[in-house]
Amino acid sequence: MEYREYFDSGQTRDAELRKEVLNACLSAVTEKKDIILESLMQDLGLLKPECLLYYYSLIEHPLKYAAGFAGNALKPSCEVPRAPYIISLARTYYNPVGLVLIDPDPRAPFLHSYAVFLLSLAAGNCTVFRFAGKESATASILTEHINKCIPEGFGRILFANEECPISVPDLKLGGLDFTEDGEAEAAGRAIAVFDAGAELDKNARKVVYAWKKAASLTEIAPEVVLVPTAVRDTFAKNFDKWHRRKSGMEAPEKLPVIGYTDDEDLWRHLEKEGRPAALYVFCADGMLKDRIVADVPFVAGCVNGTSMRPPDLKEMRHRLLREKTLTMK
């Protein structure tokens, strides 16, 4: 059945259907937990305890959140308006937007868009998640089991080489930023920022790891590094050292390492780069770190080794639902 026909039939507005589908997805993923963990270890090259964090935060938690949201998404909320309308009762009714196409930038991590796909289903939308990036082992397993649990015409995960049957979607979520403000501006390069107090040797190893992995399930590789001019050569030597240890050879192509003289010079470089696809921050200076995180717009980020974050699912709810307020006396 075509997505438009299925949505117009009203079946996606049924809360029990959405809860049943998402709970079936959760059960399927839980049953395959060990296999998914093995695939995460294979894709990310990390130990099992580290992969458990990715599993719970980026795979299981979004499913539980979406399943819990499905039953309440379309219930009206009630409140008493402020004076002088205190004898009135205000109800806000929510409805799905209709057809949703999630079509992220090829560099966007699969698991970040996967979370938005689940939330869109929970909101009652017919949703296609078309992914043009790398089909890793984990992405392949999740796609297989999630698609089996979702009824025909309700939603589907597709990879770029598959035909996408959705036409004229009511809402398209694209790029790397899933907010309304960020949608208009194209994402630039992924940036890693160091200050003079950062541990260059240890963090150069992290940059080599991410750079060699390139875009995968959870991370976008840094494409340019900004370091103080005084330690630029030291960082470059450490980068080459860890690259030789990882691959057994010199780096065939150099990662751009740009030196900056002071904070204002750093800011000029950041403004020139525009909105980064991802932002890695390695700072001992807490004030500089807070300023960068607060003032540089980004969706995916990593601060002093803390893993990149998925999009805020609570903010996404507002984009995936229409609402109207009815006031009655």
Side-chain angles (χ1 to χ4, degrees):
M1 186 184 294
E2 292 293 330
Y3 285 88
R4 173 63 66 185
E5 179 185 351
Y6 190 85
F7 181 79
D8 288 343
S9 71
Q11 295 182 57
T12 56
R13 298 177 187 273
D14 185 83
E16 291 305 316
L17 170 65
R18 288 179 280 114
K19 286 180 64 176
E20 181 182 338
V21 167
L22 289 165
N23 281 321
C25 291
L26 180 60
S27 297
V29 166
T30 304
E31 288 175 5
K32 301 295 180 181
K33 177 179 176 180
D34 291 338
I35 298 176
I36 293 172
L37 282 173
E38 288 178 6
S39 66
L40 280 171
M41 292 166 64
Q42 174 187 331
D43 292 334
L44 301 177
L46 300 175
L47 298 176
K48 188 172 182 178
E50 295 172 291
C51 290
L52 277 169
L53 295 176
Y54 284 108
Y55 172 82
Y56 286 121
S57 63
L58 296 178
I59 296 177
E60 187 175 282
H61 170 68
L63 267 169
K64 288 183 176 179
Y65 181 88
F69 176 64
N72 299 318
L74 306 182
K75 292 180 180 178
S77 61
C78 302
E79 61 178 301
V80 177
R82 294 179 180 179
Y85 305 104
I86 56 175
I87 62 172
S88 300
L89 179 64
R91 290 189 178 92
T92 300
Y93 292 87
Y94 298 91
N95 288 307
V97 297
L99 303 183
V100 175
L101 173 61
I102 300 172
D103 198 14
D105 186 288
R107 295 172 296 173
F110 174 85
L111 288 182
H112 290 194
S113 301
Y114 152 88
V116 180
F117 168 71
L118 297 174
L119 186 62
S120 182
L121 293 178
N125 299 299
C126 288
T127 310
V128 172
F129 170 21
R130 183 170 60 190
F131 190 68
K134 178 183 177 184
E135 185 175 9
S136 61
T138 308
S140 179
I141 290 173
L142 288 175
T143 298
E144 177 186 355
H145 293 288
I146 295 296
N147 281 343
K148 284 181 181 178
C149 298
I150 299 174
E152 181 183 358
F154 185 13
R156 185 167 175 81
I157 303 175
L158 301 173
F159 280 83
N161 58 344
E162 296 187 56
E163 182 182 355
C164 181
I166 195 170
S167 60
V168 194
D170 298 320
L171 178 65
K172 177 177 178 179
L173 302 175
L176 291 165
D177 191 343
F178 297 106
T179 64
E180 292 185 26
D181 294 338
E183 192 174 24
E185 185 182 355
R189 297 188 290 182
I191 302 172
V193 179
F194 288 76
D195 72 354
E199 297 182 62
L200 297 180
D201 185 45
K202 181 178 74 174
N203 292 321
R205 181 183 182 183
K206 294 179 180 178
V207 173
V208 168
Y209 173 80
W211 189 58
K212 295 296 289 181
K213 293 293 287 185
S216 62
L217 292 167
T218 57
E219 296 180 356
I220 305 170
E223 298 170 273
V224 61
V225 177
L226 300 176
V227 299
T229 303
V231 297
R232 181 186 179 280
D233 291 341
T234 303
F235 175 86
K237 289 178 181 177
N238 286 321
F239 180 85
D240 288 338
K241 178 186 74 175
W242 287 112
H243 189 280
R244 285 194 303 271
R245 291 189 182 183
K246 186 165 184 65
S247 60
M249 63 182 72
E250 296 287 342
E253 50 185 282
K254 294 292 184 180
L255 179 71
V257 180
I258 301 173
Y260 63 88
T261 55
D262 53 29
D263 289 356
E264 295 310 312
D265 189 28
L266 168 62
W267 223 250
R268 283 192 290 269
H269 283 295
L270 289 172
E271 290 176 349
K272 183 179 178 182
E273 289 290 336
R275 183 169 67 93
L279 182 65
Y280 295 79
V281 180
F282 302 99
C283 274
D285 184 341
M287 292 182 64
L288 177 61
K289 178 199 70 176
D290 293 342
R291 182 186 176 193
I292 292 173
V293 172
D295 294 347
V296 178
F298 68 96
V299 171
C302 176
V303 179
N304 288 337
T306 302
S307 181
M308 296 166 65
R309 58 185 172 84
D312 189 334
L313 297 181
K314 293 182 180 179
E315 287 213 8
M316 284 301 305
R317 294 184 306 186
H318 302 296
R319 293 212 58 203
L320 294 166
L321 290 170
R322 294 192 179 104
E323 63 180 66
K324 62 179 180 178
T325 302
L326 176 66
T327 301
M328 300 176 60
K329 290 187 177 180

